[in-house]
Amino acid sequence: MAESSFDMVVIGAGPGGYVAAIRGAQLGLRVAIVEREHMGGICLNWGCIPTKALLRTSEIFHLMHRAGEFGLKAADLGFELDKVIARSRKVAGQLSSGVDHLMKKNKITVLRGEGRLAGKGRVAVKTDKGEETLTAKAVIVATGARARELPGLEADGERVWTYKHALKPPHMPKKLLVIGSGAIGIEFASFYNTMGAETTVVEVQDRILPVEDPEISAFARKAFEKQGMSIRPSSVVKKLERGKDKVTAHIESDGKTETLEVDTVIAAVGIVGNTEGIGLEEAGVTVERGQIRVDAMCRTGVEGVYAIGDIAGAPWLAHKASHEGVMVAELVAGGDPHPVRPEQIAGCTYCHPQVASVGLTEPAAKAAGHEIRVGRFPFIGNGKAIALGEPEGLVKTIFDAATGELLGAHMIGAEVTELIQGYVVGRTLETTEAELMQAVFPHPTLSEMMHESVLDAYDRVVHM
């Protein structure tokens, strides 16, 4: 059995793991990374990136149908699903190979295989050539997560899909049921609905996008229903009856059960960490509800063992994983990094219209004891939004009434996933309403709505 020595070994090459490896190498550490499937992990290969490629296609397709509004002519509109999927896979493949290049550039040792903790400072790696042991003073577990499957709703790849099947579909759905209205479910609902599928979304909570501010959730529901989606909150899919070319869903709501016949189901009911088979229990690492328990610095409580990304708990976001990777690498190298603060991390959903948020929702701010001031500004009041033909949307900001602290920002509309970073930077710098009001926003831009929303919270809004 071969044995190699490193300063840091990373298990998993997703957006948390490979970024940790790069930062460690930059700091002079000898780094090895172990990956059993694809460089870039789920995000680059089966999540963030390929879904955005699909959603870009649906966005263009949507605009093609609106050509007349812009004085353009377009006839015989259609699409070739295999080519749509091929583009998405090509984009994912390009970025995955880019991670390979970054590993070589930073002189990081890459092992293709399955890694597991094998004693203090030891990682056993099973490859197609046998087993190799790596030793290191620090081990970062970054094994990510997979789709949660509930009893009776398990995917079969034909009529019932997870996100992976939805990214390489065996057919174009005609009647689609999406179970779950979090970011994953809503993004796929938005894509397939725009491409022509008759789409129903079932959500167990009393509103869709339940982690968002209720006002944004309500706005999103109206927008989706206007696009032809059927939204069924406070509902549970109790059973799926599978046929050769159809699925009958039994949906319970208000104590009554109804059936819905569709040809395709996407189950998007959350994720579960990849904790199995990597030696966690033997090493003494605590696993709770499918995730590793860590402190603010991603330490597991076992000396020299860290966990980052989806395996280490919410929020389950690629950018959170990356920043945790940087933080841990700096800690291992002897630095004193700031802990990653979940409340400073933006969430983005790339449906149409887009949804983005950071910080506290209005109910959460009140529940935390804040006296608040709330500002709102609609897209219809913004010149750039009207010129773009995107007048539907809202920017909402929440401030502490006593201190002017920006407690939260919530947005729905065109390009809000790009705009939200302005508020993220503001919160990180501990900006108050005064600085945001004094900042000069360029015209004409969508960002002006961010300024106007702040002004509205203090009764100074100009264009509404």
Side-chain angles (χ1 to χ4, degrees), residues 345-373:
I345 298 172
C348 298
T349 305
Y350 298 80
C351 46
H352 180 76
Q354 295 178 7
V355 175
S357 60
V358 66
L360 299 177
T361 63
E362 185 175 348
K366 291 177 179 177
H370 293 278
E371 291 290 331
I372 62 174
R373 297 190 71 117

Side-chain angles (χ1 to χ4, degrees), residues 110 119 201 284 327:
V110 177
V201 177
M327 176 187 71

Side-chain angles (χ1 to χ4, degrees), residues 312-335:
W316 299 285
L317 301 166
H319 41 294
K320 173 253 197 186
S322 294
H323 275 265
E324 286 179 338
V326 169
M327 176 187 71
V328 172
E330 292 179 349
L331 194 63
V332 171

Side-chain angles (χ1 to χ4, degrees), residues 76-283:
D76 300 321
L77 301 179
F79 63 91
E80 297 177 64
L81 184 61
D82 57 341
K83 292 183 178 180
V84 171
I85 300 305
R87 177 181 180 273
S88 171
R89 301 314 308 157
K90 181 180 179 181
V91 169
Q94 177 181 338
L95 289 171
S96 182
S97 63
V99 176
D100 277 314
H101 167 72
L102 291 172
M103 298 297 101
K104 293 176 183 176
K105 176 184 176 183
N106 288 279
K107 298 180 174 57
I108 296 164
T109 299
V110 177
L111 290 91
R112 302 281 186 164
E114 296 188 2
R116 60 179 174 82
L117 302 178
K120 184 176 181 180
R122 297 168 69 86
V123 175
V125 183
K126 183 179 179 181
T127 70
D128 55 5
K129 297 179 181 179
E131 188 166 290
E132 181 174 352
T133 298
L134 312 179
T135 62
K137 67 178 182 179
V139 178
I140 301 177
V141 180
T143 49
R146 62 188 182 275
R148 183 184 299 277
E149 295 193 270
L150 300 180
L153 307 183
E154 298 91 349
D156 55 41
E158 291 297 324
R159 295 293 163 185
V160 182
W161 301 345
T162 64
Y163 60 85
K164 281 194 174 183
H165 304 120
L167 284 166
K168 291 186 69 175
H171 60 268
M172 175 63 197
K174 294 181 180 178
K175 294 187 67 175
L176 172 67
L177 170 63
V178 177
I179 306 174
S181 74
I184 294 173
I186 284 297
E187 286 185 357
F188 279 119
S190 187
F191 170 74
Y192 281 109
N193 186 74
T194 301
M195 302 306 286
E198 183 182 326
T199 303
T200 298
V201 177
V202 170
E203 169 57 52
V204 67
Q205 302 292 330
D206 61 359
R207 57 191 177 89
I208 61 169
L209 295 169
V211 302
E212 301 295 341
D213 187 270
E215 193 171 352
I216 300 299
S217 293
F219 195 111
R221 177 176 180 175
K222 289 180 181 178
F224 297 150
E225 289 177 335
K226 186 177 179 180
Q227 296 167 22
M229 281 191 213
S230 174
I231 306 294
R232 302 186 62 167
S234 303
S235 300
V236 179
V237 177
K238 304 295 288 186
K239 182 172 66 172
L240 297 175
E241 293 180 0
R242 308 168 196 231
K244 181 179 179 181
D245 57 2
K246 68 177 182 179
V247 179
T248 302
H250 294 251
I251 304 172
E252 184 180 283
S253 180
D254 295 326
K256 300 178 181 178
T257 300
E258 302 177 24
T259 59
L260 176 67
E261 189 173 290
V262 297
D263 60 67
T264 310
V265 176
I266 296 176
V269 290
I271 61 173
V272 59
N274 294 319
T275 60
E276 305 87 353
I278 55 175
L280 296 176
E281 291 81 5
E282 297 87 341

